[in-house]
Amino acid sequence: MQYHPLGVTGPRVSAFGLGAMGMSGMYGPSDRAESIATLHAALDAGITLIDTGDFYGSGHNEMLIGEALRATSKRDAAILSVKFGGLRDPAGGWTGFDARPAALKNFLAYSLQRLGVDHIDIYRPARLDPNVPIEDTVGAIAEMVQAGHVRHIGLSEVGSETIRRAAAVHPIADLQIEYSLISRGIEDGILATCRELGIGITAYGVLSRGLISGRWQKGSTGAGDFRAYSPRFQDGNVERNLELVEALRAVAEAKGVTVAQIAIAWVAAQGRDIVPLVGARRRDRLAEALGALDVVLTPEDLARIEQAVPKGAAAGDRYMAAQMAHLDSERPHR
């Protein structure tokens, strides 16, 4: 495992991070014991960055990570990245977003308790709250940094203007945003802004929720899997997207690697300031993803990948229309 600073001001982290969302029901049922074993395997492999959200499973994900950390000698090596702000109801529905200073301090108190830690390494609003100036949100997290409850401040899914406003209040360690071969909007300005300001990137969705993993097949979403409603998985779109996967498979096989490995390696190859978040919830999937660390992509490889999956070739948006409308990163001013 390699390690490098997350942005100019952030902590030193592993080259890959582990995204834990899928361990708490977002992709359907998961196995608790296997999830904990996967968290332990990640730490054993040298992964230090673990990403979660306080609304994943309405707190379940944080409690799961807390349980896993208590049962490992590598607890102190873990760098925890926590998103906040998503509001849930008892039925598991989504009821809004809240990034007010008083709300985030309340969310933080519960996260510390569920995770069993005395500070969060990187704390970030999961989205921009349209009712709260980003300066107010970041300013309140900065107070928590001063108090010792948070080490670094991050952002998620915001555009260049918001990034600049936030960075004027307090140094920003990283921007968490979707980035993959079929989700390349970050290249239209956001990535350049982050590099100008010395802000790192933690890239989620590097396999586009399994769509470009090389294993996903049409109709394989089950109960409780939000991909059943995702535009890229819908009839008319999914067929086109799976054609892209097959084109990528040909490049991967010629290279002697799996589709997932070449897709993850492509994201990592876009810069040392980009940390792919691997969303594995099983040890075998984690092991496959870690194999991407050894994949070196030559200029010729990158050209073949670009030919197989050209920028903008994906069919369908990355979220449903209502969710896309709330993404500051997708607005024209980004």
Side-chain angles (χ1 to χ4, degrees), residues 67-187:
E67 181 179 346
L69 291 179
R70 286 191 295 274
T72 176
S73 61
K74 293 184 171 61
R75 175 177 180 173
D76 292 340
I79 295 172
L80 300 176
S81 168
V82 178
K83 294 180 292 297
F84 69 85
L87 303 178
R88 309 294 298 269
D89 63 27
W94 300 88
T95 60
F97 192 84
D98 193 348
R100 292 173 301 143
L104 74 85
K105 292 174 184 178
N106 176 75
F107 295 147
L108 175 59
Y110 282 86
S111 287
L112 292 169
Q113 181 69 25
R114 287 189 289 253
L115 288 164
V117 297
D118 61 7
H119 71 273
I120 302 297
D121 296 287
I122 313 169
Y123 200 54
R124 73 184 81 240
R127 297 288 185 268
L128 177 67
D129 188 335
N131 300 312
V132 181
I134 191 62
E135 292 85 352
D136 291 359
T137 300
V138 171
I141 305 175
E143 292 177 13
M144 297 295 94
V145 172
Q146 287 293 109
H149 304 307
V150 171
R151 292 287 187 268
H152 304 277
I153 301 177
L155 298 171
S156 178
E157 287 290 356
V158 292
S160 292
E161 178 185 335
T162 302
I163 293 168
R164 293 184 186 280
R165 288 170 55 191
V169 176
H170 188 279
I172 302 299
D174 71 306
L175 170 70
Q176 187 171 125
I177 193 164
E178 185 170 357
Y179 191 28
S180 73
L181 272 168
I182 64 172
S183 294
R184 296 173 61 178
I186 186 177
E187 296 174 359

Side-chain angles (χ1 to χ4, degrees), residues 51-74:
D51 182 77
T52 184
D54 63 10
F55 44 84
Y56 292 165
S58 302
H60 173 274
N61 206 238
E62 289 182 321
M63 291 189 288
L64 183 76
I65 292 170
E67 181 179 346
L69 291 179
R70 286 191 295 274
T72 176
S73 61
K74 293 184 171 61

Side-chain angles (χ1 to χ4, degrees), residues 181 243-263 265-266 295-310:
L181 272 168
E243 288 176 4
L244 297 174
V245 174
E246 291 311 306
L248 184 61
R249 190 187 306 278
V251 180
E253 290 179 349
K255 186 79 173 171
V257 300
T258 68
V259 176
Q261 287 169 341
I262 205 165
W266 181 89
V295 178
V296 177
L297 298 177
T298 66
E300 293 75 19
D301 292 329
L302 292 170
R304 293 187 189 100
I305 292 169
E306 186 72 27
Q307 184 176 18
V309 188

Side-chain angles (χ1 to χ4, degrees), residues 319-327:
Y319 286 103
M320 291 179 288
Q323 294 170 298
M324 289 291 288
H326 289 294
L327 288 179

Side-chain angles (χ1 to χ4, degrees), residues 203-273:
Y204 76 88
V206 292
L207 296 179
S208 196
R209 299 163 184 83
L211 182 58
I212 58 173
S213 66
R215 291 180 301 271
W216 194 87
Q217 297 179 347
K218 183 179 177 182
S220 59
T221 51
D225 192 330
F226 81 98
R227 290 174 293 188
Y229 307 100
S230 174
R232 288 181 176 169
F233 290 83
Q234 300 303 304
D235 288 346
N237 290 337
V238 69
E239 293 85 358
R240 169 56 185 155
N241 293 329
L242 290 177
E243 288 176 4
L244 297 174
V245 174
E246 291 311 306
L248 184 61
R249 190 187 306 278
V251 180
E253 290 179 349
K255 186 79 173 171
V257 300
T258 68
V259 176
Q261 287 169 341
I262 205 165
I264 297 168
W266 181 89
V267 175
Q270 305 311 302
R272 286 177 57 84
D273 54 346

